[in-house]
CSV table of all heavy atoms in Angstrom, one decimal:
chain,number,residue,atom,x,y,z
A,24,THR,N,3.5,-0.7,-15.0
A,24,THR,CA,2.8,0.3,-15.8
A,24,THR,C,3.6,0.7,-17.0
A,24,THR,O,4.9,0.7,-16.8
A,24,THR,CB,2.5,1.6,-15.0
A,24,THR,OG1,3.7,2.2,-14.5
A,24,THR,CG2,1.5,1.3,-13.7
A,25,PRO,N,3.0,0.9,-18.1
A,25,PRO,CA,3.8,1.2,-19.3
A,25,PRO,C,4.6,2.6,-19.2
A,25,PRO,O,4.0,3.5,-18.8
A,25,PRO,CB,2.8,1.3,-20.4
A,25,PRO,CG,1.6,0.5,-19.9
A,25,PRO,CD,1.6,0.7,-18.4
A,26,ALA,N,5.8,2.6,-19.7
A,26,ALA,CA,6.6,3.7,-19.6
A,26,ALA,C,6.1,5.0,-20.3
A,26,ALA,O,6.3,6.1,-19.9
A,26,ALA,CB,8.0,3.5,-20.1
A,27,GLY,N,5.3,4.8,-21.4
A,27,GLY,CA,4.8,5.9,-22.2
A,27,GLY,C,3.6,6.6,-21.6
A,27,GLY,O,3.2,7.7,-22.2
A,28,LEU,N,3.0,5.9,-20.6
A,28,LEU,CA,1.7,6.6,-20.0
A,28,LEU,C,2.1,7.8,-19.2
A,28,LEU,O,3.2,7.9,-18.5
A,28,LEU,CB,1.0,5.7,-19.1
A,28,LEU,CG,0.2,4.5,-19.8
A,28,LEU,CD1,-0.5,3.7,-18.7
A,28,LEU,CD2,-0.8,5.1,-20.6
A,29,PRO,N,1.3,8.8,-19.3
A,29,PRO,CA,1.5,10.1,-18.3
A,29,PRO,C,1.4,9.5,-16.9
A,29,PRO,O,0.7,8.5,-16.6
A,29,PRO,CB,0.3,10.9,-18.5
A,29,PRO,CG,-0.3,10.5,-19.9
A,29,PRO,CD,0.1,9.0,-20.0
A,30,LEU,N,2.1,10.1,-16.0
A,30,LEU,CA,2.1,9.7,-14.5
A,30,LEU,C,0.8,9.5,-13.9
A,30,LEU,O,0.6,8.6,-13.3
A,30,LEU,CB,3.0,10.7,-13.7
A,30,LEU,CG,3.0,10.5,-12.2
A,30,LEU,CD1,3.7,9.1,-12.0
A,30,LEU,CD2,3.8,11.6,-11.5
A,31,SER,N,-0.1,10.5,-14.3
A,31,SER,CA,-1.4,10.3,-13.7
A,31,SER,C,-2.2,9.0,-14.1
A,31,SER,O,-2.9,8.5,-13.3
A,31,SER,CB,-2.3,11.6,-14.1
A,31,SER,OG,-2.3,11.7,-15.5
A,32,ARG,N,-2.0,8.6,-15.3
A,32,ARG,CA,-2.7,7.4,-15.8
A,32,ARG,C,-2.0,6.2,-15.1
A,32,ARG,O,-2.6,5.1,-14.8
A,32,ARG,CB,-2.6,7.3,-17.2
A,32,ARG,CG,-3.5,8.4,-17.9
A,32,ARG,CD,-4.2,8.2,-19.1
A,32,ARG,NE,-4.4,7.0,-19.7
A,32,ARG,CZ,-4.2,6.6,-20.9
A,32,ARG,NH1,-3.7,7.6,-21.7
A,32,ARG,NH2,-4.5,5.5,-21.4
A,33,ARG,N,-0.6,6.2,-14.9
A,33,ARG,CA,0.1,5.1,-14.2
A,33,ARG,C,-0.4,5.1,-12.8
A,33,ARG,O,-0.6,3.8,-12.4
A,33,ARG,CB,1.6,5.4,-14.3
A,33,ARG,CG,2.2,5.3,-15.7
A,33,ARG,CD,3.6,5.8,-15.7
A,33,ARG,NE,4.4,4.5,-15.7
A,33,ARG,CZ,5.8,4.6,-15.9
A,33,ARG,NH1,6.4,5.8,-15.9
A,33,ARG,NH2,6.4,3.5,-15.9
A,34,LEU,N,-0.6,6.1,-12.2
A,34,LEU,CA,-1.1,6.1,-10.8
A,34,LEU,C,-2.5,5.5,-10.7
A,34,LEU,O,-2.8,4.7,-9.8
A,34,LEU,CB,-1.1,7.6,-10.2
A,34,LEU,CG,0.3,8.1,-10.0
A,34,LEU,CD1,0.2,9.6,-9.5
A,34,LEU,CD2,1.2,7.3,-9.1
A,35,VAL,N,-3.4,5.8,-11.7
A,35,VAL,CA,-4.7,5.2,-11.7
A,35,VAL,C,-4.5,3.7,-11.8
A,35,VAL,O,-5.3,3.0,-11.2
A,35,VAL,CB,-5.5,5.8,-12.8
A,35,VAL,CG1,-6.8,5.1,-13.0
A,35,VAL,CG2,-5.9,7.3,-12.4
A,36,GLN,N,-3.7,3.3,-12.7
A,36,GLN,CA,-3.5,1.8,-13.0
A,36,GLN,C,-3.0,1.2,-11.6
A,36,GLN,O,-3.5,0.1,-11.3
A,36,GLN,CB,-2.6,1.5,-14.0
A,36,GLN,CG,-2.5,0.0,-14.3
A,36,GLN,CD,-1.5,-0.3,-15.4
A,36,GLN,OE1,-1.3,0.5,-16.3
A,36,GLN,NE2,-1.1,-1.5,-15.4
A,37,ILE,N,-2.1,1.7,-10.9
A,37,ILE,CA,-1.6,1.2,-9.7
A,37,ILE,C,-2.7,1.1,-8.7
A,37,ILE,O,-2.9,0.0,-8.0
A,37,ILE,CB,-0.4,2.0,-9.2
A,37,ILE,CG1,0.8,1.9,-10.1
A,37,ILE,CG2,-0.1,1.6,-7.7
A,37,ILE,CD1,1.9,2.8,-9.8
A,38,TYR,N,-3.4,2.2,-8.5
A,38,TYR,CA,-4.6,2.2,-7.7
A,38,TYR,C,-5.6,1.1,-7.8
A,38,TYR,O,-6.0,0.4,-7.0
A,38,TYR,CB,-5.2,3.6,-7.7
A,38,TYR,CG,-6.4,3.8,-6.8
A,38,TYR,CD1,-6.3,4.0,-5.4
A,38,TYR,CD2,-7.7,3.8,-7.3
A,38,TYR,CE1,-7.4,4.3,-4.7
A,38,TYR,CE2,-8.8,4.0,-6.6
A,38,TYR,CZ,-8.6,4.2,-5.2
A,38,TYR,OH,-9.8,4.3,-4.4
A,39,THR,N,-6.0,1.0,-9.1
A,39,THR,CA,-7.0,0.0,-9.5
A,39,THR,C,-6.5,-1.4,-9.3
A,39,THR,O,-7.2,-2.2,-8.8
A,39,THR,CB,-7.4,0.3,-11.0
A,39,THR,OG1,-7.9,1.6,-11.2
A,39,THR,CG2,-8.5,-0.7,-11.5
A,40,ASP,N,-5.3,-1.7,-9.8
A,40,ASP,CA,-4.7,-3.0,-9.7
A,40,ASP,C,-4.6,-3.4,-8.2
A,40,ASP,O,-4.8,-4.6,-7.8
A,40,ASP,CB,-3.4,-3.1,-10.4
A,40,ASP,CG,-3.5,-3.1,-11.8
A,40,ASP,OD1,-4.7,-3.1,-12.4
A,40,ASP,OD2,-2.5,-3.1,-12.6
A,41,LEU,N,-4.1,-2.4,-7.4
A,41,LEU,CA,-3.9,-2.7,-5.9
A,41,LEU,C,-5.4,-3.0,-5.2
A,41,LEU,O,-5.5,-3.9,-4.5
A,41,LEU,CB,-3.2,-1.7,-5.2
A,41,LEU,CG,-2.8,-2.0,-3.8
A,41,LEU,CD1,-1.9,-3.2,-3.7
A,41,LEU,CD2,-2.2,-0.8,-3.0
A,42,GLN,N,-6.4,-2.2,-5.6
A,42,GLN,CA,-7.7,-2.5,-5.1
A,42,GLN,C,-8.2,-3.9,-5.5
A,42,GLN,O,-8.8,-4.6,-4.6
A,42,GLN,CB,-8.8,-1.5,-5.7
A,42,GLN,CG,-8.7,-0.1,-4.9
A,42,GLN,CD,-9.8,0.7,-5.4
A,42,GLN,OE1,-10.1,0.9,-6.5
A,42,GLN,NE2,-10.4,1.3,-4.4
A,43,GLU,N,-7.9,-4.3,-6.7
A,43,GLU,CA,-8.3,-5.6,-7.1
A,43,GLU,C,-7.5,-6.7,-6.4
A,43,GLU,O,-8.1,-7.7,-6.0
A,43,GLU,CB,-8.0,-5.8,-8.7
A,43,GLU,CG,-8.5,-7.1,-9.2
A,43,GLU,CD,-8.3,-7.2,-10.7
A,43,GLU,OE1,-8.3,-6.2,-11.4
A,43,GLU,OE2,-8.1,-8.4,-11.2
A,44,LEU,N,-6.3,-6.5,-6.2
A,44,LEU,CA,-5.3,-7.4,-5.4
A,44,LEU,C,-5.9,-7.6,-4.0
A,44,LEU,O,-6.1,-8.7,-3.5
A,44,LEU,CB,-3.9,-6.9,-5.3
A,44,LEU,CG,-2.8,-7.8,-5.0
A,44,LEU,CD1,-2.7,-9.0,-6.0
A,44,LEU,CD2,-1.5,-7.0,-5.0
A,45,ILE,N,-6.3,-6.4,-3.3
A,45,ILE,CA,-6.8,-6.5,-2.0
A,45,ILE,C,-8.2,-7.2,-1.9
A,45,ILE,O,-8.4,-8.1,-1.1
A,45,ILE,CB,-6.9,-5.1,-1.4
A,45,ILE,CG1,-5.5,-4.5,-1.2
A,45,ILE,CG2,-7.8,-5.1,-0.1
A,45,ILE,CD1,-5.5,-3.1,-0.8
A,46,SER,N,-9.0,-6.9,-2.9
A,46,SER,CA,-10.3,-7.6,-3.0
A,46,SER,C,-10.2,-9.0,-3.3
A,46,SER,O,-11.1,-9.8,-2.9
A,46,SER,CB,-11.2,-6.8,-4.1
A,46,SER,OG,-11.5,-5.5,-3.7
A,47,THR,N,-9.3,-9.5,-4.0
A,47,THR,CA,-9.2,-10.9,-4.4
A,47,THR,C,-8.6,-11.7,-3.2
A,47,THR,O,-9.0,-12.7,-2.9
A,47,THR,CB,-8.2,-11.0,-5.6
A,47,THR,OG1,-8.8,-10.3,-6.6
A,47,THR,CG2,-8.0,-12.5,-6.0
A,48,PHE,N,-7.6,-11.1,-2.5
A,48,PHE,CA,-6.8,-11.9,-1.5
A,48,PHE,C,-7.2,-11.6,-0.1
A,48,PHE,O,-6.8,-12.2,0.9
A,48,PHE,CB,-5.3,-11.8,-1.7
A,48,PHE,CG,-4.9,-12.5,-3.0
A,48,PHE,CD1,-4.6,-11.8,-4.2
A,48,PHE,CD2,-4.7,-13.9,-3.0
A,48,PHE,CE1,-4.3,-12.5,-5.3
A,48,PHE,CE2,-4.3,-14.5,-4.1
A,48,PHE,CZ,-4.1,-13.8,-5.3
A,49,HIS,N,-7.9,-10.5,0.2
A,49,HIS,CA,-8.3,-10.1,1.5
A,49,HIS,C,-7.3,-10.1,2.6
A,49,HIS,O,-7.4,-10.8,3.7
A,49,HIS,CB,-9.5,-11.0,1.9
A,49,HIS,CG,-10.6,-11.1,0.9
A,49,HIS,ND1,-11.5,-10.0,0.8
A,49,HIS,CD2,-10.9,-12.0,0.0
A,49,HIS,CE1,-12.3,-10.3,-0.3
A,49,HIS,NE2,-12.0,-11.5,-0.7
A,50,PRO,N,-6.2,-9.3,2.5
A,50,PRO,CA,-5.2,-9.3,3.5
A,50,PRO,C,-5.8,-8.7,4.7
A,50,PRO,O,-6.6,-7.8,4.8
A,50,PRO,CB,-4.1,-8.4,2.9
A,50,PRO,CG,-4.8,-7.6,1.9
A,50,PRO,CD,-5.9,-8.4,1.4
A,51,ASP,N,-5.2,-9.2,5.9
A,51,ASP,CA,-5.6,-8.6,7.3
A,51,ASP,C,-4.9,-7.3,7.5
A,51,ASP,O,-5.4,-6.4,8.1
A,51,ASP,CB,-5.3,-9.6,8.3
A,51,ASP,CG,-6.1,-11.0,8.2
A,51,ASP,OD1,-7.3,-10.8,8.2
A,51,ASP,OD2,-5.4,-11.9,8.1
A,52,GLU,N,-3.7,-7.2,6.9
A,52,GLU,CA,-2.7,-6.0,7.2
A,52,GLU,C,-1.8,-5.9,5.9
A,52,GLU,O,-1.6,-6.9,5.2
A,52,GLU,CB,-1.9,-6.2,8.4
A,52,GLU,CG,-2.8,-6.2,9.7
A,52,GLU,CD,-2.0,-6.5,10.9
A,52,GLU,OE1,-0.8,-6.8,10.9
A,52,GLU,OE2,-2.7,-6.3,12.0
A,53,MET,N,-1.4,-4.7,5.8
A,53,MET,CA,-0.5,-4.4,4.6
A,53,MET,C,0.8,-3.7,5.2
A,53,MET,O,0.7,-2.9,6.0
A,53,MET,CB,-1.1,-3.4,3.6
A,53,MET,CG,-0.2,-3.2,2.4
A,53,MET,SD,-1.1,-2.3,1.1
A,53,MET,CE,-0.8,-0.7,1.7
A,54,ALA,N,2.0,-4.2,4.7
A,54,ALA,CA,3.3,-3.7,5.1
A,54,ALA,C,3.9,-3.0,3.9
A,54,ALA,O,3.9,-3.7,2.8
A,54,ALA,CB,4.1,-4.8,5.6
A,55,VAL,N,4.3,-1.8,4.1
A,55,VAL,CA,4.8,-1.1,2.9
A,55,VAL,C,6.2,-0.6,3.3
A,55,VAL,O,6.4,-0.1,4.4
A,55,VAL,CB,3.9,0.2,2.6
A,55,VAL,CG1,4.5,0.9,1.4
A,55,VAL,CG2,2.5,-0.3,2.3
A,56,GLU,N,7.1,-0.6,2.4
A,56,GLU,CA,8.5,0.0,2.6
A,56,GLU,C,8.4,1.5,2.7
A,56,GLU,O,7.8,2.1,1.7
A,56,GLU,CB,9.5,-0.5,1.6
A,56,GLU,CG,10.9,-0.1,2.0
A,56,GLU,CD,11.9,-0.8,1.1
A,56,GLU,OE1,11.9,-0.5,-0.1
A,56,GLU,OE2,12.7,-1.6,1.5
A,57,GLU,N,9.1,2.1,3.6
A,57,GLU,CA,9.1,3.5,3.6
A,57,GLU,C,10.1,3.9,2.5
A,57,GLU,O,11.0,3.2,2.2
A,57,GLU,CB,9.7,4.0,5.0
A,57,GLU,CG,8.7,3.9,6.1
A,57,GLU,CD,9.1,4.5,7.3
A,57,GLU,OE1,10.3,5.1,7.5
A,57,GLU,OE2,8.3,4.3,8.3
A,58,LEU,N,10.1,5.2,2.0
A,58,LEU,CA,10.9,5.7,1.0
A,58,LEU,C,12.3,5.9,1.5
A,58,LEU,O,12.5,6.5,2.6
A,58,LEU,CB,10.3,6.9,0.4
A,58,LEU,CG,9.1,6.8,-0.5
A,58,LEU,CD1,8.8,8.1,-1.0
A,58,LEU,CD2,9.3,5.8,-1.6
A,59,PHE,N,13.3,5.6,0.7
A,59,PHE,CA,14.6,5.9,1.1
A,59,PHE,C,15.2,6.6,-0.2
A,59,PHE,O,15.3,6.1,-1.2
A,59,PHE,CB,15.4,4.6,1.2
A,59,PHE,CG,16.9,4.7,1.4
A,59,PHE,CD1,17.3,5.3,2.6
A,59,PHE,CD2,17.7,4.4,0.4
A,59,PHE,CE1,18.7,5.4,2.7
A,59,PHE,CE2,19.1,4.5,0.5
A,59,PHE,CZ,19.6,5.1,1.7
A,60,PHE,N,15.5,7.9,0.0
A,60,PHE,CA,16.2,8.7,-1.1
A,60,PHE,C,17.6,8.6,-1.0
A,60,PHE,O,18.3,9.0,-0.1
A,60,PHE,CB,15.7,10.2,-0.9
A,60,PHE,CG,14.2,10.5,-1.1
A,60,PHE,CD1,13.4,10.5,-0.1
A,60,PHE,CD2,13.9,10.8,-2.3
A,60,PHE,CE1,12.0,10.8,-0.3
A,60,PHE,CE2,12.5,11.1,-2.7
A,60,PHE,CZ,11.6,11.1,-1.6
A,61,ASN,N,18.1,8.0,-2.1
A,61,ASN,CA,19.5,7.7,-2.2
A,61,ASN,C,20.2,8.9,-3.0
A,61,ASN,O,20.7,9.9,-2.4
A,61,ASN,CB,19.8,6.5,-2.9
A,61,ASN,CG,21.2,6.0,-2.6
A,61,ASN,OD1,22.0,6.7,-1.9
A,61,ASN,ND2,21.6,4.9,-3.3
A,62,THR,N,20.1,8.9,-4.2
A,62,THR,CA,20.8,9.9,-5.0
A,62,THR,C,19.8,10.6,-6.0
A,62,THR,O,20.0,11.8,-6.3
A,62,THR,CB,22.0,9.4,-5.8
A,62,THR,OG1,21.6,8.3,-6.6
A,62,THR,CG2,23.1,8.9,-4.9
A,63,ASN,N,18.9,9.9,-6.5
A,63,ASN,CA,17.9,10.5,-7.5
A,63,ASN,C,16.6,11.0,-7.0
A,63,ASN,O,15.7,10.2,-6.7
A,63,ASN,CB,17.7,9.4,-8.7
A,63,ASN,CG,17.1,10.0,-9.8
A,63,ASN,OD1,16.4,11.1,-9.8
A,63,ASN,ND2,17.2,9.4,-11.0
A,64,LEU,N,16.7,12.2,-6.7
A,64,LEU,CA,15.5,12.9,-6.1
A,64,LEU,C,14.2,12.8,-7.0
A,64,LEU,O,13.1,12.6,-6.5
A,64,LEU,CB,15.8,14.3,-5.7
A,64,LEU,CG,14.7,15.1,-4.8
A,64,LEU,CD1,14.4,14.4,-3.6
A,64,LEU,CD2,15.1,16.5,-4.7
A,65,THR,N,14.5,12.9,-8.3
A,65,THR,CA,13.3,12.9,-9.2
A,65,THR,C,12.7,11.5,-9.2
A,65,THR,O,11.5,11.5,-9.2
A,65,THR,CB,13.8,13.2,-10.7
A,65,THR,OG1,14.5,14.4,-10.6
A,65,THR,CG2,12.7,13.2,-11.6
A,66,THR,N,13.4,10.4,-9.2
A,66,THR,CA,12.8,9.1,-9.1
A,66,THR,C,12.2,9.0,-7.8
A,66,THR,O,11.1,8.3,-7.7
A,66,THR,CB,13.9,8.0,-9.2
A,66,THR,OG1,14.5,8.2,-10.5
A,66,THR,CG2,13.4,6.7,-9.2
A,67,GLY,N,12.7,9.5,-6.7
A,67,GLY,CA,12.1,9.3,-5.4
A,67,GLY,C,10.8,10.0,-5.2
A,67,GLY,O,9.8,9.6,-4.7
A,68,ILE,N,10.6,11.2,-5.9
A,68,ILE,CA,9.3,11.9,-6.0
A,68,ILE,C,8.3,11.1,-6.6
A,68,ILE,O,7.2,10.9,-6.3
A,68,ILE,CB,9.5,13.4,-6.5
A,68,ILE,CG1,10.3,14.2,-5.6
A,68,ILE,CG2,8.1,14.0,-6.8
A,68,ILE,CD1,10.7,15.5,-6.1
A,69,SER,N,8.7,10.5,-7.9
A,69,SER,CA,7.8,9.8,-8.6
A,69,SER,C,7.3,8.5,-7.7
A,69,SER,O,6.1,8.1,-7.7
A,69,SER,CB,8.6,9.2,-9.9
A,69,SER,OG,7.7,8.4,-10.6
A,70,VAL,N,8.2,7.8,-7.1
A,70,VAL,CA,7.9,6.7,-6.2
A,70,VAL,C,7.0,7.2,-5.1
A,70,VAL,O,6.1,6.4,-4.7
A,70,VAL,CB,9.1,5.9,-5.7
A,70,VAL,CG1,8.9,5.0,-4.6
A,70,VAL,CG2,10.0,5.3,-6.8
A,71,ALA,N,7.2,8.3,-4.6
A,71,ALA,CA,6.4,8.9,-3.5
A,71,ALA,C,4.9,9.0,-4.1
A,71,ALA,O,3.9,8.7,-3.3
A,71,ALA,CB,6.8,10.3,-3.1
């Protein structure tokens, strides 16, 4: 997602692109990494 976009628009793009990915490849299951907060809480919240 482009850095200049507001967070809300970046989230919409991620959502739309992921839906397209799922619809194209039809995964049986999805594995996602859990969040790990190291030092930068602001980045962690954005990733959340």
